[in-house]
Amino acid sequence: MQTNLLIKNKKLNTSILIKKNYISTFVKNIARKNEKVFCVIDSKIKNKFNFIKEKNIKIITIECGEKIKTINGYKDLAEKLIKNNVNRKSVLVAIGGGTLGDLAGFVSSTVLRGLDFFLIPTTLLSQVDSSIGGKNGINTAYGKNLIGTFYQPKNVLIDISVLDSLPKKEIKSGYAEIIKHALINDYAFFCWLEKNINKLLNLNKSILEKAIYKSIMIKLFYVRKDEKESLLNSHSRAMLNFGHTIGHAIESHYNYKKYNHGEAISIGMITEAKISNYLGLLSSTELDRIIIHFKKYKFKIFDRILKEKKLIKIISKDKKNFKDNINFSLINKIGSSIFYEKLNKDKVYKILQKI
Ligand SMILES: NC(=O)c1ccc[n+]([C@@H]2O[C@H](COP(=O)([O-])OP(=O)(O)OC[C@H]3O[C@@H](n4cnc5c(N)ncnc54)[C@H](O)[C@@H]3O)[C@@H](O)[C@H]2O)c1
Ligand SMILES: [Zn+2]
């Protein structure tokens, strides 16, 4: 596996660099080329870097987590930039997990109608998923990511050396998005993950790099075909939402406190795989194989809220819905997904009672 890898995408006007021990140099290079750099960093990792003293870098640290993805989180960061004389030539660099990336991306795309944005994801989840594709956003009381834009970072730097300090729970959260990519798109990748999951969760460098690279390429496949998520077929970017219709509703119901994102979508993926099986799309043998994989490594697969009407109410607010039907991305085999728009909320409730 090549360790320095540059993935350029002209259509999306973005590039993704995979390189180890490179964050400080990367930020210093941005500082050399730009008048003023606002560097927003997750407070947990701020001490890892040595660019803090550059004169034209204004450091802003934020205690991260889902709680920052709010209107208030947006206001705080946007006003900090404005108070510190942000101008059209200023650039924003975000160094942190998916919550920081989602907030900072939204701020970058709106303050002064758009600042150049550089993204350095520091959790496994953000390296394999949220830093790719240009979606950003904040939550509202009515549901997750309901306010946001599509805005591609100029460059994304994936540096796996930063993952050393990541708690196991967060590594598993990132794994959930990796296995999602395999389940919707790549059977061979799923088989490879079955064999290599242990090494991956223990941060074996070459296994990790391969999994990250594979995940990014699968995500890019959908983003290139359907950047703004307007297709309604199996090439739709919505396929990446497998497990998320249910997962987002669970997160929202528990106010983002009971589960992290990966845990919620693990429950979501197993439930949506069961729905796929109930509808005759996915065979029972394949469903069992997926469940065994999740159970063996103690991923969450169930929560009692799945059986309650309250969940259906939240699901009905999902962005992917239109008219009365709830749209799902389901799987019809391991490695293959379809867009399913035939279920109304009563039907979903009934199915959830039976599976
Ligand atoms: N925009 C997208 O396309 C997209 C895709 C998937 C997920 N998401 C979003 O991503 C968010 C989840 O991201 P996340 O899992 O990275 O959460 P997060 O940003 O909350 O990070 C998880 C925890 O790890 C800490 N952390 C970050 N980097 C660390 C490091 N290197 N070492 C030690 N601790 C570190 C954080 O402070 C936090 O406590 C959710 O809001 C989800 O909706 C967005
Ligand atoms: Zn996700």
Side-chain angles (χ1 to χ4, degrees), residues 42 44 66 69 98-99 102 122-123 130 135 144 162 165:
D42 183 319
K44 286 207 184 107
E66 204 64 38
K69 285 179 57 176
T99 58
D102 278 9
T122 63
T123 58
S130 66
K135 271 193 191 177
K144 207 170 151 131
V162 79
S165 52

Side-chain angles (χ1 to χ4, degrees), residues 198-221:
N198 245 328
K199 287 185 185 155
L200 204 164
L201 296 178
N202 287 311
L203 297 185
N204 172 299
K205 294 266 184 299
S206 65
I207 297 292
L208 196 57
E209 265 171 5
K210 184 166 173 194
I212 292 173
Y213 176 75
K214 271 298 237 181
S215 270
I216 292 176
M217 295 316 282
I218 292 171
K219 178 141 189 193
L220 276 176
F221 167 83

Side-chain angles (χ1 to χ4, degrees), residues 125 129 177 180 240 244 248 261 265:
L125 185 139
D129 192 344
E177 301 280 15
K180 175 195 79 181
L240 295 160
H244 284 61
H248 278 167
H261 182 64
I265 65 152

